[in-house]
Short mmCIF file of all heavy atoms in Angstrom, two decimals:
data_model
loop_
_atom_site.label_atom_id
_atom_site.label_comp_id
_atom_site.label_asym_id
_atom_site.label_seq_id
_atom_site.Cartn_x
_atom_site.Cartn_y
_atom_site.Cartn_z
N PHE A 395 20.40 -22.09 0.18
CA PHE A 395 20.71 -22.78 -1.04
C PHE A 395 19.47 -23.20 -1.78
O PHE A 395 19.41 -23.00 -3.06
CB PHE A 395 21.60 -24.00 -0.81
CG PHE A 395 21.95 -24.82 -2.07
CD1 PHE A 395 22.92 -24.28 -2.84
CD2 PHE A 395 21.31 -25.88 -2.40
CE1 PHE A 395 23.23 -25.03 -4.12
CE2 PHE A 395 21.57 -26.62 -3.49
CZ PHE A 395 22.60 -26.07 -4.45
N GLU A 396 18.54 -23.80 -1.08
CA GLU A 396 17.36 -24.30 -1.72
C GLU A 396 16.55 -23.06 -2.39
O GLU A 396 15.96 -23.21 -3.50
CB GLU A 396 16.42 -25.07 -0.80
CG GLU A 396 15.20 -25.69 -1.36
CD GLU A 396 15.55 -26.60 -2.52
OE1 GLU A 396 16.68 -27.26 -2.50
OE2 GLU A 396 14.73 -26.77 -3.42
N LEU A 397 16.41 -22.01 -1.62
CA LEU A 397 15.78 -20.87 -2.25
C LEU A 397 16.43 -20.26 -3.42
O LEU A 397 15.80 -20.02 -4.40
CB LEU A 397 15.61 -19.75 -1.12
CG LEU A 397 14.67 -20.01 0.10
CD1 LEU A 397 14.91 -19.01 1.22
CD2 LEU A 397 13.27 -20.06 -0.39
N VAL A 398 17.78 -20.11 -3.41
CA VAL A 398 18.51 -19.67 -4.48
C VAL A 398 18.39 -20.59 -5.64
O VAL A 398 18.26 -20.16 -6.85
CB VAL A 398 20.05 -19.50 -4.11
CG1 VAL A 398 20.85 -19.35 -5.33
CG2 VAL A 398 20.20 -18.27 -3.15
N ARG A 399 18.45 -21.89 -5.43
CA ARG A 399 18.29 -22.88 -6.47
C ARG A 399 16.95 -22.66 -7.19
O ARG A 399 16.86 -22.66 -8.47
CB ARG A 399 18.38 -24.26 -6.07
CG ARG A 399 18.50 -25.41 -7.15
CD ARG A 399 18.58 -26.69 -6.46
NE ARG A 399 17.24 -27.11 -5.84
CZ ARG A 399 16.09 -27.48 -6.54
NH1 ARG A 399 16.12 -27.61 -7.83
NH2 ARG A 399 14.98 -27.69 -5.90
N GLN A 400 15.88 -22.54 -6.48
CA GLN A 400 14.56 -22.42 -7.00
C GLN A 400 14.45 -21.06 -7.79
O GLN A 400 13.79 -20.94 -8.83
CB GLN A 400 13.47 -22.58 -6.04
CG GLN A 400 13.41 -24.02 -5.46
CD GLN A 400 12.14 -24.32 -4.87
OE1 GLN A 400 11.04 -23.72 -5.10
NE2 GLN A 400 12.14 -25.27 -3.92
N ILE A 401 14.92 -19.95 -7.13
CA ILE A 401 14.89 -18.71 -7.92
C ILE A 401 15.64 -18.64 -9.16
O ILE A 401 15.06 -18.21 -10.13
CB ILE A 401 15.48 -17.59 -6.88
CG1 ILE A 401 14.55 -17.45 -5.63
CG2 ILE A 401 15.51 -16.24 -7.60
CD1 ILE A 401 15.27 -16.68 -4.51
N LEU A 402 16.87 -19.18 -9.14
CA LEU A 402 17.65 -19.19 -10.40
C LEU A 402 16.97 -20.14 -11.39
O LEU A 402 17.19 -20.02 -12.63
CB LEU A 402 19.05 -19.63 -10.16
CG LEU A 402 19.87 -18.63 -9.31
CD1 LEU A 402 21.28 -19.25 -9.03
CD2 LEU A 402 20.01 -17.27 -9.84
N GLY A 403 16.13 -21.02 -11.07
CA GLY A 403 15.44 -21.91 -11.93
C GLY A 403 14.37 -21.26 -12.61
O GLY A 403 13.83 -21.68 -13.74
N ARG A 404 13.98 -20.03 -12.21
CA ARG A 404 13.02 -19.20 -13.00
C ARG A 404 13.67 -18.34 -14.00
O ARG A 404 14.97 -18.09 -13.86
CB ARG A 404 12.18 -18.24 -12.03
CG ARG A 404 11.38 -18.96 -10.95
CD ARG A 404 10.68 -18.06 -10.09
NE ARG A 404 9.88 -17.02 -10.80
CZ ARG A 404 8.80 -16.37 -10.23
NH1 ARG A 404 8.29 -16.64 -9.12
NH2 ARG A 404 8.12 -15.54 -11.10
N ASP A 405 13.05 -17.88 -14.98
CA ASP A 405 13.71 -17.06 -15.95
C ASP A 405 13.11 -15.68 -16.06
O ASP A 405 13.41 -14.85 -16.95
CB ASP A 405 13.69 -17.69 -17.44
CG ASP A 405 12.26 -17.89 -17.94
OD1 ASP A 405 11.28 -17.54 -17.22
OD2 ASP A 405 12.04 -18.43 -19.00
N ASP A 406 12.24 -15.35 -15.10
CA ASP A 406 11.50 -14.06 -15.14
C ASP A 406 11.71 -13.21 -13.94
O ASP A 406 10.91 -12.27 -13.68
CB ASP A 406 9.99 -14.35 -15.31
CG ASP A 406 9.39 -15.11 -14.19
OD1 ASP A 406 10.16 -15.62 -13.31
OD2 ASP A 406 8.13 -15.29 -14.18
N PHE A 407 12.67 -13.55 -13.09
CA PHE A 407 12.98 -12.68 -11.90
C PHE A 407 13.87 -11.48 -12.24
O PHE A 407 14.56 -11.59 -13.33
CB PHE A 407 13.63 -13.56 -10.74
CG PHE A 407 14.92 -14.01 -11.07
CD1 PHE A 407 16.11 -13.34 -10.79
CD2 PHE A 407 15.03 -15.31 -11.60
CE1 PHE A 407 17.30 -13.87 -11.03
CE2 PHE A 407 16.39 -15.79 -11.91
CZ PHE A 407 17.52 -15.07 -11.68
N ARG A 408 13.80 -10.55 -11.42
CA ARG A 408 14.72 -9.28 -11.67
C ARG A 408 16.00 -9.39 -10.94
O ARG A 408 17.08 -8.92 -11.53
CB ARG A 408 13.91 -8.06 -11.37
CG ARG A 408 14.66 -6.88 -11.72
CD ARG A 408 13.75 -5.56 -11.65
NE ARG A 408 14.48 -4.36 -12.16
CZ ARG A 408 13.92 -3.18 -12.10
NH1 ARG A 408 12.69 -3.03 -11.74
NH2 ARG A 408 14.62 -2.11 -12.46
N LEU A 409 16.05 -9.92 -9.72
CA LEU A 409 17.22 -10.08 -9.00
C LEU A 409 17.10 -11.18 -8.03
O LEU A 409 16.17 -11.54 -7.44
CB LEU A 409 17.38 -8.85 -8.16
CG LEU A 409 18.67 -8.74 -7.20
CD1 LEU A 409 19.94 -8.65 -7.86
CD2 LEU A 409 18.46 -7.55 -6.11
N CYS A 410 18.27 -11.92 -7.93
CA CYS A 410 18.40 -12.99 -6.91
C CYS A 410 19.55 -12.64 -6.10
O CYS A 410 20.81 -12.65 -6.59
CB CYS A 410 18.65 -14.34 -7.62
SG CYS A 410 18.93 -15.72 -6.38
N GLY A 411 19.39 -12.06 -4.95
CA GLY A 411 20.46 -11.52 -4.08
C GLY A 411 20.60 -12.46 -2.84
O GLY A 411 19.60 -12.83 -2.24
N LEU A 412 21.82 -12.82 -2.58
CA LEU A 412 22.10 -13.66 -1.44
C LEU A 412 23.12 -12.91 -0.46
O LEU A 412 24.13 -12.40 -0.88
CB LEU A 412 22.79 -14.95 -1.96
CG LEU A 412 23.36 -15.82 -0.89
CD1 LEU A 412 22.27 -16.53 -0.01
CD2 LEU A 412 24.29 -16.98 -1.57
N LEU A 413 22.76 -12.89 0.79
CA LEU A 413 23.58 -12.26 1.79
C LEU A 413 24.76 -13.28 2.12
O LEU A 413 24.52 -14.47 2.40
CB LEU A 413 22.86 -12.05 3.13
CG LEU A 413 23.61 -11.36 4.35
CD1 LEU A 413 23.95 -10.04 3.77
CD2 LEU A 413 22.76 -11.42 5.56
N GLY A 414 25.99 -12.78 2.02
CA GLY A 414 27.08 -13.57 2.27
C GLY A 414 28.33 -13.13 1.56
O GLY A 414 28.32 -11.98 1.07
N SER A 415 29.50 -13.87 1.78
CA SER A 415 30.70 -13.49 1.24
C SER A 415 31.00 -14.03 -0.11
O SER A 415 30.20 -14.83 -0.62
CB SER A 415 31.82 -13.96 2.25
OG SER A 415 31.80 -15.46 2.24
N ARG A 416 32.10 -13.66 -0.74
CA ARG A 416 32.48 -14.22 -2.07
C ARG A 416 32.74 -15.72 -1.88
O ARG A 416 32.52 -16.55 -2.73
CB ARG A 416 33.76 -13.51 -2.55
CG ARG A 416 33.45 -12.09 -3.04
CD ARG A 416 34.77 -11.48 -3.61
NE ARG A 416 34.45 -10.20 -4.10
CZ ARG A 416 34.39 -9.07 -3.40
NH1 ARG A 416 34.70 -9.07 -2.01
NH2 ARG A 416 34.15 -7.89 -3.84
N ALA A 417 33.27 -16.23 -0.69
CA ALA A 417 33.52 -17.56 -0.36
C ALA A 417 32.17 -18.24 -0.43
O ALA A 417 32.14 -19.47 -0.98
CB ALA A 417 34.27 -17.77 0.84
N LYS A 418 31.18 -17.72 0.19
CA LYS A 418 29.89 -18.42 0.20
C LYS A 418 29.28 -18.52 -1.19
O LYS A 418 28.77 -19.59 -1.60
CB LYS A 418 28.94 -17.67 1.07
CG LYS A 418 27.47 -18.19 1.17
CD LYS A 418 26.59 -17.48 2.18
CE LYS A 418 25.21 -18.13 2.24
NZ LYS A 418 24.34 -17.48 3.14
N ARG A 419 29.56 -17.52 -2.02
CA ARG A 419 29.04 -17.56 -3.38
C ARG A 419 29.75 -18.69 -4.16
O ARG A 419 29.17 -19.37 -4.92
CB ARG A 419 29.18 -16.21 -4.15
CG ARG A 419 28.66 -16.15 -5.51
CD ARG A 419 28.96 -14.97 -6.30
NE ARG A 419 28.16 -14.76 -7.40
CZ ARG A 419 28.50 -15.49 -8.64
NH1 ARG A 419 29.47 -16.33 -8.68
NH2 ARG A 419 27.63 -15.38 -9.64
N ALA A 420 31.06 -18.75 -3.91
CA ALA A 420 31.90 -19.81 -4.62
C ALA A 420 31.37 -21.16 -4.20
O ALA A 420 31.25 -22.14 -5.09
CB ALA A 420 33.30 -19.66 -4.32
N ARG A 421 31.01 -21.49 -2.95
CA ARG A 421 30.52 -22.73 -2.54
C ARG A 421 29.18 -22.93 -3.20
O ARG A 421 28.81 -24.12 -3.64
CB ARG A 421 30.38 -22.77 -1.06
CG ARG A 421 31.78 -22.81 -0.33
CD ARG A 421 31.59 -23.20 1.15
NE ARG A 421 30.86 -22.27 1.92
CZ ARG A 421 31.25 -21.23 2.48
NH1 ARG A 421 32.60 -20.96 2.45
NH2 ARG A 421 30.54 -20.37 3.15
N PHE A 422 28.31 -21.95 -3.24
CA PHE A 422 27.00 -22.19 -3.79
C PHE A 422 27.12 -22.42 -5.27
O PHE A 422 26.42 -23.26 -5.80
CB PHE A 422 26.13 -20.92 -3.54
CG PHE A 422 25.33 -20.99 -2.26
CD1 PHE A 422 25.99 -21.40 -1.10
CD2 PHE A 422 24.02 -20.48 -2.15
CE1 PHE A 422 25.26 -21.53 0.11
CE2 PHE A 422 23.31 -20.59 -1.01
CZ PHE A 422 23.93 -21.10 0.12
N VAL A 423 28.00 -21.74 -5.97
CA VAL A 423 28.13 -21.91 -7.38
C VAL A 423 28.50 -23.38 -7.62
O VAL A 423 28.09 -24.02 -8.73
CB VAL A 423 29.16 -20.93 -7.98
CG1 VAL A 423 29.67 -21.38 -9.44
CG2 VAL A 423 28.64 -19.52 -7.98
N GLN A 424 29.55 -23.83 -6.86
CA GLN A 424 29.95 -25.29 -7.16
C GLN A 424 28.81 -26.23 -6.96
O GLN A 424 28.59 -27.19 -7.73
CB GLN A 424 31.06 -25.57 -6.18
CG GLN A 424 31.66 -27.01 -6.35
CD GLN A 424 32.89 -27.17 -5.37
OE1 GLN A 424 33.01 -26.47 -4.33
NE2 GLN A 424 33.68 -28.03 -5.55
N ARG A 425 27.88 -26.01 -5.98
CA ARG A 425 26.85 -26.91 -5.57
C ARG A 425 25.75 -26.79 -6.74
O ARG A 425 25.07 -27.73 -7.19
CB ARG A 425 26.24 -26.60 -4.30
CG ARG A 425 27.15 -27.03 -3.20
CD ARG A 425 26.56 -26.60 -1.84
NE ARG A 425 25.40 -27.48 -1.52
CZ ARG A 425 24.47 -27.21 -0.62
NH1 ARG A 425 24.67 -26.05 0.19
NH2 ARG A 425 23.36 -27.89 -0.42
N LEU A 426 25.56 -25.53 -7.18
CA LEU A 426 24.48 -25.34 -8.19
C LEU A 426 24.92 -25.99 -9.57
O LEU A 426 24.12 -26.62 -10.29
CB LEU A 426 24.30 -23.83 -8.52
CG LEU A 426 23.70 -23.15 -7.34
CD1 LEU A 426 23.78 -21.58 -7.55
CD2 LEU A 426 22.16 -23.41 -7.21
N ARG A 427 26.21 -26.01 -9.91
CA ARG A 427 26.67 -26.63 -11.06
C ARG A 427 26.55 -28.18 -10.92
O ARG A 427 26.08 -28.87 -11.81
CB ARG A 427 28.19 -26.41 -11.31
CG ARG A 427 28.43 -24.91 -11.88
CD ARG A 427 29.91 -24.65 -11.89
NE ARG A 427 30.13 -23.31 -12.46
CZ ARG A 427 31.21 -22.65 -12.25
NH1 ARG A 427 32.16 -23.10 -11.52
NH2 ARG A 427 31.46 -21.42 -12.83
#
Side-chain angles (χ1 to χ4, degrees):
F395 178 79
E396 185 58 29
L397 290 170
V398 165
R399 187 186 69 81
Q400 294 201 24
I401 294 166
L402 294 179
R404 298 180 53 152
D405 60 1
D406 60 352
F407 65 90
R408 187 165 182 183
L409 174 73
C410 177
L412 171 66
L413 182 66
S415 63
R416 290 182 176 85
K418 181 176 180 177
R419 185 185 193 281
R421 290 194 298 272
F422 272 44
V423 167
Q424 185 178 15
R425 294 178 62 191
L426 290 167
R427 286 172 178 159

